[in-house]
Amino acid sequence: MARHLEFDVLVIGSGAAGLTLALNLPATLLIAVLSKGELAHGSTYWAQGGVAAVLDEGDTVEAHVQDTLVAGAGLCDEAAVRFTVEHSREAMQWLIDQGVPFTREQDGAKGGLGFHLTREGGHSHRRIIHAADATGMAIFDTLLRTAEGRPNIQLLSQRVAVDLITTEKLGRQGTRCLGAYVLDRTSDQVDTLHARFTVLATGGASKAYLYSTNQDSASGDGIAMAWRAGCSVANLEFNQFHPTCLYHPHARSFLITEALRGEGAVLRLPDGERFMPRFDPRADLAPRDVVARAIDHEMKRLGIDCVFLDISHKPADFVQEHFPTVYRRCLELGIDITRDPIPVVPAAHYTCGGVRVDEHGRSDLAGLYAIGETSCTGLHGANRMASNSLLECFVYARSAALDIQAQEAEIAMPRDLPDWDASQVTDSDEDVVIAHNWDELRRFMWDYVGIVRTSKRLVRARHRIRLLMDEIDEFYSNYRVSRDLIELRNLAQVAELIIESALARQESRGLHFTLDYPQLASTARDTILVPRTDAARSEA
C-alpha cells in the first residue's frame, strides 16, 4: 500500500554530494537519502582519480583558478570558480576529519597536509589528493558509515523518484517544491514524500550515450525532473568524453584513470608512435576534450578500434603501488600494465551542464536544490578540468546545507498532498519496447551528438528524439511505472535538451566541436533553456 512520509529534507541521490549535504545538516532535522538501487551504485563509488584542491605549499588559489578558467574554454563563471577553489582546503579538511583514508607521503609531510598529491591534465601543480586509485570508494565508504551512525538520517535504497511535487502542479498559490513521488521497488508502490526542502543529487546523464564510463544509474533523472518542474538548465551541449576507457570485449565501462597520464603514461598508436605532441604542446597532459578529439581523429584516420596508453616504462613497484585497482583489473583480462600498453577508447563520462543554481545550490524553484553533476554552477564552463567534479560536490553540498539550516525555521511542512494516481494505468506486457527505445536512443546520440558534430547530424537526432519521446509518453500514460520506464523517460528528456543546446551553439568551444562552425565565437555565452518557452536563448 502506498504511503505518505514526511521529512524535513529529502535528498534524491546517495553519492558524494547527497551524503555530504545530509552530514552537514543539524541532527534536529529528519533527512531521507534515496538511492535508486543499492547505496553504492552511483558514480562516486567508482571514481578513481581524486579531488583537486589547493593543499601544497607551492600551489595557490590563483593558480587553481586560472587552470580551471583555461580548461573551461572561456565559459566558466569566474565567481563560481573562485568560490569553489577558495573553499577547497576546508572541504578536504572536513573529509579528513570524517576519516577518509587518503594516501600519505612516504617520506613525511612536505605540504599537502602530509598527503600524496598527484597531477592530472590541465593542472599546473600537483593538487589531486587521492586514496590510491580508488578515491571514490574510500570517500563513499567513509561517508556512508558516518551517515549510518546518524539516527536522523534515513538511508532508503531501491527508491526511484518519479516526479517532483510543486505548488504549480497542484494548482496552489506560490511556486515551491513540496517533495516528490517515489517508487518503492520493494513494494512496487509509489509513495508520496512530503519535504520542506528537496535536494537533487542524482548525478549526470552519460547513459544517453552508447559507450560510457558511468553506471546505468546515470540517466539524468534530476535534470529531467527539474525541467518538468519549471527549472531552467544550462550548457547541456558540453558532454565530457573521458579519453581512456578500457577497450576489451569482457570489460564493461571500466575507466582508466587520468592519474596514469599524470604520473607519466603516454598515448601511442598501434605501431608505438606517440601522437599527442602533434595535437597540443601539453601532449598527454592536455585537457580531456583535446585528448578525446585527438584519439577520435586517429582512430578514424587509421581505421583502428583503439589506441594504447603506456606506463610500462615506469618501475613495476611504482605502478602497482599507485594504481592497484587498474593493475588488478587489467591483469584479470590478461594485460600486465607494468609491461604491456593498455587498449583504450573515449567514452561519455561527465555532464558539464545541468540545472542552473547559485552558490548555495538553489534552483529557480523555491525549496529545490541541485548539487553535484546534476547542477550547473558555472565551475566547469565548456570543459570540466580533471578532479574538479568531486570538489564541486563537497563545496556546494556544504553551502546548500548552510542555506537550508539558515531558513528551515521559517518553512512549514507541506500538508494534504494527493496520492500518486495510478487508477488509469495497467501492467505492461511489452517491456521489450523500453529496451528497444533505450538502445535506439543511445546509438543515435553516439552517432549524431558525439565527440564531433554537424548541424545535419543534430537535426536528424532532433527528429528521432521527438518521435521517440512521443512513443515514451504514450507508454508512460498507459502503463504502471517501473525503474526502466522512469529512467528511459528521463534520459529521452535530457537527450532532447542536449540536442537543442548543441543546435543553439553555433561555434566550437571546449567539449562542443562541430564541423559546421569550427571557429571560436568572439563572445562566450551560456546556452540556457527555459521550460515555459521551450526554446534556447544565450546570455552573456
Side-chain angles (χ1 to χ4, degrees):
M1 183 176 178
R3 300 173 296 169
H4 282 249
L5 304 172
E6 295 184 353
F7 299 96
D8 294 305
V9 184
L10 171 62
V11 183
I12 304 175
S14 61
L19 289 175
T20 297
L21 181 135
L23 290 170
N24 278 274
L25 288 170
T28 53
L29 299 181
L30 182 59
I31 304 161
V33 179
L34 308 186
S35 177
K36 288 198 294 187
E38 296 305 317
L39 291 167
H41 282 184
S43 296
T44 297
Y45 187 82
W46 302 99
Q48 296 178 17
V51 191
V54 180
L55 302 175
D56 188 76
E57 294 171 355
D59 197 6
T60 64
V61 166
E62 192 60 33
H64 192 168
V65 167
Q66 291 305 316
D67 289 346
T68 301
L69 294 176
V70 170
L75 204 64
C76 296
D77 180 333
E78 186 169 346
V81 175
R82 291 190 179 279
F83 174 77
T84 307
V85 175
E86 287 170 356
H87 288 84
S88 63
R89 190 181 183 100
E90 66 188 55
M92 293 309 98
Q93 186 61 60
W94 180 79
L95 288 173
I96 293 166
D97 293 342
Q98 304 310 302
V100 177
F102 290 118
T103 301
R104 291 189 173 272
E105 284 282 8
Q106 294 296 318
D107 54 355
K110 293 182 177 179
L113 305 178
F115 295 95
H116 181 268
L117 304 176
T118 189
R119 182 181 171 193
E120 295 179 349
H123 292 274
S124 59
H125 291 75
R126 284 181 173 266
R127 62 168 68 103
I128 315 302
I129 187 171
H130 62 100
D133 63 347
T135 307
M137 185 187 302
I139 291 172
F140 177 83
D141 286 346
T142 302
L143 296 184
L144 178 62
R145 185 166 56 250
T146 305
E148 288 174 336
R150 301 281 180 89
N152 67 310
I153 299 176
Q154 293 188 22
L155 302 169
L156 305 176
S157 60
Q158 305 298 335
R159 303 304 204 281
V160 185
V162 182
D163 252 328
L164 298 172
I165 306 171
T166 68
T167 51
E168 184 174 11
K169 289 181 180 179
L170 299 181
R172 298 181 181 180
Q173 289 186 339
T175 53
R176 187 173 184 87
C177 184
L178 307 175
Y181 291 115
V182 176
L183 173 65
D184 182 347
R185 297 176 67 200
T186 64
S187 65
D188 204 29
Q189 298 291 325
V190 176
D191 295 330
T192 305
L193 272 60
H194 308 232
R196 296 198 286 152
F197 303 92
T198 302
V199 182
L200 298 172
T202 58
S206 288
K207 275 298 173 178
Y209 290 94
L210 184 60
Y211 301 110
S212 169
T213 65
N214 285 210
Q215 300 301 297
D216 286 341
S217 58
S219 50
D221 301 328
I223 299 170
M225 285 190 292
W227 174 262
R228 291 194 294 265
C231 297
S232 59
V233 298
N235 295 341
L236 281 167
E237 68 270 37
F238 298 116
N239 311 103
Q240 188 172 75
F241 290 82
H242 197 288
T244 54
C245 185
L246 179 63
Y247 179 76
H248 192 281
H250 299 131
R252 185 171 180 270
S253 302
F254 185 75
L255 182 149
I256 303 298
T257 174
E258 189 167 331
L260 266 83
R261 287 184 284 130
E263 294 295 345
V266 296
L267 286 158
R268 301 186 186 277
L269 297 176
D271 64 2
E273 177 196 348
R274 286 188 66 188
F275 60 90
M276 277 310 303
R278 288 193 274 111
F279 290 89
D280 193 282
R282 292 163 291 186
D284 301 274
L285 286 175
R288 289 176 177 175
D289 61 323
V290 176
V291 180
R293 278 200 300 274
I295 295 173
D296 183 70
H297 178 272
E298 292 299 288
M299 288 171 60
K300 290 175 178 174
R301 180 177 71 87
L302 298 173
I304 55 179
D305 293 328
C306 65
V307 297
F308 295 88
L309 185 64
D310 187 10
I311 198 169
S312 62
H313 52 281
K314 288 284 189 177
D317 289 347
F318 174 88
V319 173
Q320 293 175 31
E321 176 186 342
H322 283 78
F323 307 106
T325 305
V326 175
Y327 175 76
R328 286 194 300 268
R329 180 60 177 140
C330 287
L331 202 60
E332 291 172 359
L333 299 169
I335 304 167
D336 182 349
I337 68 173
T338 65
R339 298 190 298 179
D340 307 318
I342 309 168
V344 294
V345 293
H349 181 59
Y350 192 86
T351 306
C352 285
V355 182
R356 293 177 72 207
V357 298
D358 65 10
E359 69 178 28
H360 302 295
R362 293 181 295 210
S363 73
D364 299 337
L365 181 62
L368 180 66
Y369 295 74
I371 53 177
E373 195 175 352
T374 305
S375 69
C376 181
T377 64
L379 171 64
H380 306 307
N383 180 32
R384 176 180 71 93
M385 190 167 69
S387 293
N388 268 354
S389 54
L390 279 174
L391 175 62
E392 180 185 47
C393 285
F394 303 124
V395 170
Y396 279 84
R398 284 160 56 84
S399 181
L402 286 173
D403 193 67
I404 290 171
Q405 183 177 353
Q407 58 178 304
E408 61 92 8
E410 305 170 5
I411 306 299
M413 183 68 68
R415 304 291 182 187
D416 302 320
L417 302 187
D419 289 338
W420 175 258
D421 184 5
S423 61
Q424 303 299 314
V425 297
T426 60
D427 291 324
S428 169
D429 58 357
E430 295 189 29
D431 284 351
V432 67
V433 174
I434 297 175
H436 285 176
N437 285 353
W438 183 286
D439 184 64
E440 180 184 351
L441 184 153
R442 297 178 68 202
R443 286 184 182 277
F444 75 66
M445 286 294 289
W446 182 263
D447 291 339
Y448 298 154
V449 201
I451 297 172
V452 177
R453 300 163 178 175
T454 67
S455 297
K456 186 176 182 179
R457 292 174 192 167
L458 292 173
V459 170
R460 285 177 177 171
R462 173 198 268 169
H463 176 68
R464 287 303 309 141
I465 195 62
R466 288 180 175 175
L467 291 175
L468 206 56
M469 288 182 72
D470 287 342
E471 294 179 17
I472 294 168
D473 285 344
E474 181 181 0
F475 199 94
Y476 181 82
S477 299
N478 289 288
Y479 297 106
R480 295 188 190 281
V481 293
S482 65
R483 172 174 174 169
D484 288 343
L485 177 56
I486 294 166
E487 289 183 331
L488 175 62
R489 180 185 183 226
N490 290 334
L491 206 57
Q493 179 61 81
V494 177
E496 183 189 42
L497 296 174
I498 292 171
I499 294 164
E500 293 299 334
S501 298
L503 281 165
R505 184 165 294 280
Q506 297 186 349
E507 64 165 345
S508 289
R509 183 182 297 272
L511 299 167
H512 174 74
F513 185 82
T514 170
L515 296 176
D516 293 302
Y517 303 97
Q519 303 303 316
L520 197 67
S522 58
T523 303
R525 298 180 183 275
D526 291 324
T527 303
I528 298 171
L529 303 182
V530 182
R532 289 175 180 82
T533 63
D534 198 25
R537 61 184 175 90
S538 295
E539 289 190 354

